[in-house]
Amino acid sequence: MQIPDALSPGKYRRLKRLSDAADRFSMLAVDQRGSLRRMFAREHGTEPAEVAPDRLQQVKRVVTQAVAPLVSGLLTDPLYGYPASIDVLPASTGVLLSGEQTGYVAAGEDERRTRLLEAWSPRRALRSGGDAIKLLVYHHPDASEETHRHEQEIVASMGEACEEAGMPFILEVVTYPMGEAARTPAVQARRKPELVADAAKTFSDPAYKVDVLKLEFPANLRFVDAYQDAPFGAGEAVYDRKTVEQACERLDRAAGVPWVILSSGVGIDEFIETLKFANDAGASGFLCGRAVWKDIVRYAPNEREMRHFMAEVGTGRVERLLDANESARAWTDHPKYQSRAAPAGTDPFTTG
């Protein structure tokens, strides 16, 4: 039996369900809550708090129905997305459920702290049909000891709970600017490679029991000299293409588990370029959302137009991502999970 030593049979089987036939991750996220409310507010000239829950549910259902059959896994939230979409999720598509509340608690001058969805434990997610838990945490190496302790404790507690339930633990780590970088995007761009590599190294510690890392791109293509003529160019270059390649290679060395790239809300053309860089360096695919479907809010609540947009534009974007994802490394090829036959006489089903 070819089950990696580092995984229980339950985790192994569910990670296989979340990946494609070549063990690459092609996963779409529609778990946004606060950011989706802000998108509606900007588009329709209202306040985020005034966006009704049924508007969120409508978007999540339409997006899920259009793209879930195309991807290996769908990340949704257990409050709005999953209840509204469970009947249109294909049996072949893996389901990840968010484990955090939307947004963050501000601490100190610039620090951010995640809050758990306490009612949604890995065991409850498992009973509800989920295949994995995704937890988002915010990380900055210069944050206070109290903030570091907070993030370490919630990641460790979720990792332990997922281990007990036999649920894969997908950890999303988002870095953020502090000090001068919070006021100057170019300064943050210069620090990005260091910040993302530090996040990967920190949470690859086996104590956290993370199975897959969902990470930011370790650079910002808007500040790369080769992309200044692209529509997303910032008009200021702070590094070259070689520096970006080196940042991705550094990230791959820092990641002690398979990793996938997130889109951070950038447009589809920019995200496809970042995906190519990441996969060439050793990423195992993507888990992105808004790059595919964010324009749908301009058509809401007209469901006919929303479905037309997803059929004509959204699904085409997914197909482009799948083409770019051909170069991703199989998660089973990562040194952490190199499959080895169980020793003779052992029972691989003694754990969850």
Side-chain angles (χ1 to χ4, degrees), residues 58 62 296 299-312:
Q58 182 188 35
V62 171
I296 197 174
Y299 304 105
N302 188 318
E303 191 157 319
R304 179 176 168 276
E305 291 188 6
M306 293 167 70
R307 293 185 183 280
H308 180 76
F309 165 77
M310 289 305 301
E312 296 298 315

Side-chain angles (χ1 to χ4, degrees), residues 87 105 107 200 271:
D87 62 316
V105 173
F271 182 61

Side-chain angles (χ1 to χ4, degrees), residues 135-200:
L135 175 68
L136 182 154
V137 294
Y138 298 90
H139 177 75
H140 197 293
D142 299 338
S144 66
E145 182 59 34
E146 185 179 0
T147 291
H148 283 309
R149 186 165 55 252
H150 170 82
E151 69 187 35
Q152 291 162 5
E153 288 175 353
I154 66 169
V155 173
S157 66
M158 184 65 81
E160 186 62 37
C162 284
E163 191 78 7
E164 292 176 358
M167 286 279 276
F169 181 22
I170 316 299
L171 181 66
E172 177 179 1
V173 190
V174 173
T175 64
Y176 55 94
M178 292 181 65
E180 182 185 0
R183 299 180 294 275
T184 312
V187 173
Q188 176 68 359
R190 291 188 182 95
R191 276 208 82 179
K192 196 77 171 185
E194 168 202 346
L195 295 176
V196 180
D198 179 79

Side-chain angles (χ1 to χ4, degrees), residues 6 13 29 44 48 51 77 90 96 98 122 147 149 175 190 291 295 319 336 347 350:
R13 181 66 186 89
H44 298 287
V51 179
D77 68 281
L96 307 92
S98 297
T147 291
R149 186 165 55 252
T175 64
R190 291 188 182 95
D295 303 309
E319 295 291 355
K336 173 79 173 179
D347 180 2
T350 55

Side-chain angles (χ1 to χ4, degrees), residues 12-341:
Y12 173 77
R13 181 66 186 89
R14 293 180 184 104
L15 284 172
K16 293 284 283 187
R17 181 175 170 81
L18 290 165
S19 50
D20 64 18
D23 293 336
R24 299 170 303 216
F25 294 111
S26 54
M27 302 183 289
L28 189 86
V30 67
D31 66 323
Q32 291 82 357
R33 286 150 282 168
S35 60
L36 180 54
R37 279 195 162 96
R38 290 190 293 274
M39 290 162 62
F40 265 105
R42 287 193 298 269
E43 186 65 36
H44 298 287
T46 186
E47 293 297 321
E50 296 174 1
V51 179
D54 62 345
R55 288 287 171 263
L56 306 184
Q57 292 173 320
Q58 182 188 35
V59 166
K60 291 167 185 286
R61 182 178 175 86
V62 171
V63 171
T64 297
Q65 194 161 22
V67 302
L70 305 176
V71 296
S72 66
L74 185 98
L75 167 61
T76 189
D77 68 281
L79 303 180
Y80 306 107
Y82 195 45
S85 309
I86 189 169
D87 62 316
V88 297
L89 276 163
S92 59
T93 304
V95 175
L96 307 92
L97 294 177
S98 297
E100 77 281 347
Q101 296 185 44
T102 188
Y104 57 84
V105 173
E109 184 177 349
D110 297 311
E111 298 175 16
R112 304 177 183 182
R113 298 178 187 172
T114 293
R115 301 165 297 170
L116 292 176
L117 272 176
E118 298 287 356
W120 277 89
S121 68
R123 286 198 177 276
R124 181 178 179 186
L126 185 65
R127 291 195 303 270
S128 300
D131 297 297
I133 286 288
K134 185 276 303 184
L135 175 68
L136 182 154
V137 294
Y138 298 90
H139 177 75
H140 197 293
D142 299 338
S144 66
E145 182 59 34
E146 185 179 0
T147 291
H148 283 309
R149 186 165 55 252
H150 170 82
E151 69 187 35
Q152 291 162 5
E153 288 175 353
I154 66 169
V155 173
S157 66
M158 184 65 81
E160 186 62 37
C162 284
E163 191 78 7
E164 292 176 358
M167 286 279 276
F169 181 22
I170 316 299
L171 181 66
E172 177 179 1
V173 190
V174 173
T175 64
Y176 55 94
M178 292 181 65
E180 182 185 0
R183 299 180 294 275
T184 312
V187 173
Q188 176 68 359
R190 291 188 182 95
R191 276 208 82 179
K192 196 77 171 185
E194 168 202 346
L195 295 176
V196 180
D198 179 79
K201 182 178 180 180
T202 297
F203 293 105
S204 291
D205 188 320
Y208 296 115
K209 297 180 171 59
V210 173
D211 300 301
V212 177
L213 283 165
K214 179 186 177 188
L215 300 170
E216 299 168 289
F217 188 65
N220 187 334
L221 292 192
R222 300 179 185 193
F223 293 92
V224 177
D225 56 6
Y227 294 99
Q228 290 310 296
D229 292 333
F232 52 80
E236 178 182 3
V238 302
Y239 28 49
D240 57 20
R241 187 181 184 92
K242 184 63 176 177
T243 303
V244 174
E245 292 171 349
Q246 292 171 340
C248 291
E249 292 164 359
R250 177 184 179 185
L251 174 56
D252 187 59
R253 291 192 299 270
V257 298
W259 56 285
V260 296
I261 206 77
L262 60 89
S263 64
S264 299
V266 303
I268 189 64
D269 293 332
E270 183 177 353
F271 182 61
I272 286 174
E273 290 299 305
T274 66
L275 179 62
K276 291 175 182 177
F277 276 110
N279 284 345
D280 286 348
S284 291
F286 64 87
L287 203 177
C288 77
R290 287 170 291 172
V292 167
W293 55 260
K294 63 182 177 181
D295 303 309
I296 197 174
V297 298
R298 71 180 58 161
Y299 304 105
N302 188 318
E303 191 157 319
R304 179 176 168 276
E305 291 188 6
M306 293 167 70
R307 293 185 183 280
H308 180 76
F309 165 77
M310 289 305 301
E312 296 298 315
V313 179
T315 56
R317 290 174 176 175
V318 173
E319 295 291 355
R320 291 177 62 193
L321 286 171
L322 295 176
D323 287 342
N325 209 42
E326 291 287 330
S327 61
R329 176 171 65 182
W331 69 265
T332 48
D333 285 345
H334 191 282
K336 173 79 173 179
Y337 296 136
Q338 284 280 309
S339 294
R340 294 183 292 278

